[in-house]
């Protein structure tokens, strides 16, 4: 009896997912081709290194976000996430001789990225993971492989009154709980913070007039503005610098060097730009120059 | 640096959590008492209203009530300005159903002779309830009422996902900014909640000793 009702629930959930999937397909059109990733054959690594271990095992576990369109997003009904972070993950795995289908994608949320790395639940984290000094004390972070900046999304009718972060004083500003974006506008510009769990909840409150601005990395906002171009507008220049890095076990310098070499190679042979165009570039942003990598400590 | 940040954010969150708790407790208690009065009243439609309220609000998950209050009410043009009052609305409507049931069970423990005697000397139903029955009922339900308030304390944390900067919100913020001090972050937030809960239990124990009925 219990099994049967569980089956029914699953079927209902499946129907809901299928409906959602149809919506997403309708919204995006079906023309996104995934860039092909080069998979190294029998790469050679020093014995005992993290690279040799992963390469021999033939699989890698990568922690990613699954709720950020364009960056790391698991569309309803899909079993593989997509986005820029995912493409970067494929490039790293490829350099280790691991094919994209042998990568295990594990969802990490902002709160558990450090513990996951420390306890070895994942091998690396590529999850819109801004490099900060506090984080570098507990985990390794290398990169950046992408530099973005915080911007503001407002309703169309407010685009002349709120033109940048300077006008945010005492303005109700929404962002996601525990994100650096929110503390930036609160500490530097005196905005009144309104935290929600997800960006889409923030969007609802912006559209119903409960908050007057929403802030986070520009790439995410552009995606939302593109969905409702008559109602929403991204205003102002980027006013912070978020440097997305790749997280690894603290102190594994050898592995860090390897990641940097792989990223540098991807910059040089154009696969980085290709990954960008296929994901974040779809919202109409121009492909930037690849950012300069930090040296491994 | 970390310590001063921790203390300032904890005190910010603590005050917001206390405000949420205070207003919700007050509104839920008043509303719950009215509902309990309805449920024991001799007028059938009032009893029906009381029963329906309890059935609806006690059986709806709190998060759903929050969604209705935070996303639904503004669509109807209500409470568009304040996330705080939307949260208080959700918390008090939910908790009132529990307060009502606790009080009703308290009212049922007061011997029927008390109400009969009150009616016999000419008090109205309202006066009987207010002057004779409810004072005794409250004394009988101090421990379960304290449990309802403690549950409410913990339920306030749901508000952190709906635009409120309470203790739980500050926890996520601290984890984000100071990932190297996870244990301190968790323990200090927990300590704040324990403090509130300890005060409620302490007050309940004190009241029980002072005014509780000993049989």
């Amino acid at each position: 009896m219990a099994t049967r009702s569980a089956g029914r629930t699953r079927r209902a959930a499946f129907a809901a997912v299928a409906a959602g999937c149809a919506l997403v397909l309708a919204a995006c059109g079906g023309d996104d081709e995934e860039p092909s990733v080069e998979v190294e054959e029998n790469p050679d690594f020093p014995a005992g290194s993290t690279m040799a271990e992963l390469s021999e095992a033939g699989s890698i576990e990568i922690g990613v976000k699954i709720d950020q369109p364009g960056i790391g997003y698991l569309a309803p009904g899909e079993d593989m996430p997509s986005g820029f972070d995912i493409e970067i993950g494929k490039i790293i795995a490829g350099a280790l001789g691991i094919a994209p289908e042998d990568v295990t994608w594990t969802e990490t949320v902002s709160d558990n990225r450090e513990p996951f790395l420390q306890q070895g639940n994942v091998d690396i984290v590529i999850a819109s993971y801004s490099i900060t000094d506090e984080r570098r004390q507990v985990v390794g972070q290398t990169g950046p492989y992408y530099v973005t900046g915080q911007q503001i999304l407002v309703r169309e009718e407010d685009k002349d009154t709120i033109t940048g972060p300077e006008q945010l004083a005492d303005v109700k500003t929404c962002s996601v709980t525990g994100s650096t974006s929110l503390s930036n506008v609160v500490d530097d510009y005196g905005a009144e913070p309104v935290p929600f769990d997800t960006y889409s909840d923030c969007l609802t409150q912006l559209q119903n007039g409960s908050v007057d601005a929403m802030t986070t990395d520009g790439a995410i906002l552009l995606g939302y503005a593109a969905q409702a171009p008559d109602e929403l507008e991204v205003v102002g220049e980027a006013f912070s610098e978020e440097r997305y890095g790749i997280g690894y076990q603290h102190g594994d310098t050898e592995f860090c060097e390897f990641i940097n070499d792989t990223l540098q190679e991807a910059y040089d042979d154009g696969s980085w730009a290709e990954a960008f165009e296929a994901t974040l570039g779809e919202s109409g942003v121009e492909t930037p120059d690849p950012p300069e990598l930090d040296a491994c400590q | 640096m970390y310590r001063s940040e921790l203390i300032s954010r904890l005190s910010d969150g603590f005050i917001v959590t206390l405000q949420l708790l205070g207003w919700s407790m007050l509104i839920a208690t008043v509303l719950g008492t009215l509902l309990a009065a309805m449920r024991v009243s001799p007028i059938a439609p009032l009893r029906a209203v009381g029963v329906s309220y309890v059935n609806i609000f006690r059986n709806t998950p709190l998060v759903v009530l929050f969604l209705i209050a935070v996303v639904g009410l503004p669509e109807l043009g209500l409470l568009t300005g304040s996330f705080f009052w939307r949260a208080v609305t959700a918390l008090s409507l939910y908790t009132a159903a529990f307060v009502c049931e606790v009080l009703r069970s308290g009212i049922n423990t007061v011997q029927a002779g008390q109400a009969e005697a009150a009616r016999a000397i000419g008090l109205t139903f309202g006066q009987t309830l207010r002057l004779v029955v409810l004072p005794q009922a409250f004394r009988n339900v101090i421990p379960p009422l304290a449990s309802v308030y403690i549950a409410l304390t913990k339920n306030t944390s749901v508000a952190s996902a709906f635009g409120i900067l309470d203790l739980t919100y500050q926890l996520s913020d601290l984890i984000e900014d100071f990932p190297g001090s996870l244990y301190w972050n968790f323990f200090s937030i927990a300590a704040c909640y324990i403090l509130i809960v300890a005060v409620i239990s302490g007050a309940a124990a004190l009241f029980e000793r002072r005014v509780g009925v000993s049989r």
Side-chain angles (χ1 to χ4, degrees):
Chain A
M1 185 59 215
T3 352
R4 184 175 304 167
S5 82
R8 202 172 303 144
T9 324
R10 210 169 299 141
R11 224 167 302 144
F14 179 76
V17 164
C21 182
L23 274 177
V24 167
L25 282 179
C28 305
D31 63 340
D32 38 8
E33 257 177 49
E34 289 200 3
S36 59
V37 181
E38 218 176 296
V39 180
E40 240 15 85
E41 295 207 4
N42 300 321
D44 205 21
F45 295 114
S49 65
T50 314
M51 294 83 82
E53 261 171 50
L54 291 170
S55 182
E56 266 160 41
S59 66
I60 184 170
E61 236 177 279
I62 304 183
V64 294
K65 291 270 178 81
I66 62 165
D67 60 350
Q68 295 183 349
I71 297 171
Y73 185 63
L74 186 64
E78 301 264 322
D79 44 11
M80 274 270 274
S82 60
F84 188 55
D85 283 352
I86 312 299
E87 293 307 322
I88 296 293
K90 287 180 190 166
I91 290 172
I92 306 277
L96 287 164
I98 301 166
E101 52 274 18
D102 294 327
V103 176
T104 310
W105 307 102
T106 303
E107 185 191 2
T108 51
V109 296
S110 296
D111 289 353
N112 68 16
R113 290 176 297 201
E114 291 84 18
F116 268 33
L117 278 172
Q118 287 170 324
Q119 293 155 14
N121 294 7
V122 294
D123 298 307
I124 54 175
V125 163
I126 312 178
S128 56
Y129 198 14
S130 301
I131 299 175
T132 68
D133 290 340
E134 278 88 3
R135 287 175 181 160
R136 274 194 163 154
Q137 285 172 9
V138 285
V139 297
Q141 280 189 315
T142 189
Y145 61 90
Y146 181 54
V147 177
T148 176
Q150 189 175 345
Q151 282 182 294
I152 303 166
L153 184 71
V154 298
R155 288 182 301 275
E156 182 77 15
E157 69 261 27
D158 290 337
K159 71 174 175 186
D160 298 322
T161 43
I162 302 173
T163 55
E166 293 78 20
Q167 280 90 38
L168 281 185
D170 296 325
V171 167
K172 286 204 178 90
T173 306
C174 192
S175 194
V176 166
T177 310
S179 67
T180 38
S181 325
L182 203 52
S183 33
N184 284 347
V185 290
V186 174
D187 297 346
D188 299 347
Y189 300 102
E192 189 183 332
V194 178
F196 269 80
D197 250 6
T198 63
Y199 291 112
S200 45
D201 286 341
C202 267
L203 196 67
T204 311
Q205 299 302 323
L206 180 63
Q207 285 173 317
N208 76 21
S210 301
V211 300
D212 295 317
M214 166 177 170
T215 184
T216 184
D217 301 343
I220 299 172
L221 296 180
L222 281 172
Y224 287 122
Q227 285 176 351
D230 302 332
E231 284 174 51
L232 303 168
E233 183 101 7
V234 178
V235 294
E237 295 288 309
F239 56 91
S240 77
E241 194 186 58
E242 302 296 331
R243 304 160 72 242
Y244 287 0
I246 297 178
Y248 57 92
Q249 287 257 334
H250 194 242
D252 196 345
T253 319
E254 214 175 4
F255 193 39
C256 170
E257 300 282 1
F258 162 78
I259 296 174
N260 274 5
D261 291 347
T262 311
L263 285 176
Q264 191 59 52
E265 208 171 301
Y267 290 177
D268 296 340
D269 69 8
S271 49
W272 182 87
E274 207 179 315
F276 187 88
E277 280 152 23
T279 53
L280 283 174
E282 294 231 308
S283 59
V285 211
E286 264 181 56
T287 308
D289 288 331
E292 196 161 323
L293 297 169
D294 294 355
C296 290
Q297 289 131 341
Chain B
M1 161 64 185
Y2 172 65
R3 191 170 298 172
S4 65
E5 270 292 294
L6 180 70
I7 290 170
S8 86
R9 292 190 197 186
L10 276 186
S11 53
D12 287 354
F14 192 68
I15 290 168
V16 174
T17 293
L18 278 186
Q19 285 172 334
L20 267 184
L21 178 65
W23 282 108
S24 310
M25 207 191 248
L26 181 72
I27 298 174
T29 309
V30 172
L31 185 60
T33 311
L34 286 177
L35 286 166
M38 282 177 165
R39 288 208 63 171
V40 298
S41 93
I43 304 162
L46 282 185
R47 282 203 302 272
V49 171
V51 172
S52 324
Y53 183 96
V54 169
N55 280 337
I56 292 169
F57 286 91
R58 193 170 59 165
N59 299 334
T60 309
L62 181 59
V63 173
V64 174
L65 284 180
F66 258 99
L67 276 175
I68 293 171
V70 174
V71 181
L73 288 184
E75 295 294 329
L76 301 172
L78 296 167
L79 293 177
T80 43
S82 170
F83 287 96
F84 180 80
W85 290 109
R86 289 186 221 166
V88 169
T89 306
L91 284 168
S92 9
L93 290 182
Y94 180 74
T95 310
F98 292 89
V99 172
C100 163
E101 286 303 273
V102 164
L103 269 186
R104 190 172 64 92
S105 72
I107 291 171
N108 289 340
T109 62
V110 179
Q111 283 165 6
Q114 297 277 330
E116 285 163 8
R119 296 309 293 271
I121 59 169
L123 297 183
T124 64
F125 174 75
Q127 285 172 322
T128 307
L129 208 53
R130 194 155 42 85
L131 302 172
V132 179
V133 179
L134 274 180
Q136 299 184 66
F138 266 110
R139 294 161 56 163
N140 283 336
V141 295
I142 293 166
L145 207 51
S147 298
V148 169
Y149 292 146
I150 287 171
L152 174 63
T153 309
K154 292 179 286 182
N155 285 341
T156 57
S157 64
V158 176
S160 67
F162 295 93
I164 304 290
L165 293 96
D166 74 333
L167 274 173
T168 306
Y169 164 78
Q170 301 292 352
L171 174 64
S172 321
D173 222 26
L174 284 167
I175 293 173
E176 184 78 14
D177 291 341
F178 304 101
S181 316
L182 282 185
Y183 285 109
W184 278 111
N185 296 341
F186 279 107
F187 282 131
S188 38
I189 297 287
C192 288
Y193 279 109
I194 291 172
L195 179 66
I196 299 178
V197 169
V199 168
I200 295 177
S201 337
L206 186 73
F207 274 123
E208 211 185 341
R209 226 171 309 132
R210 285 280 178 78
V211 300
V213 185
S214 48
R215 267 190 274 265

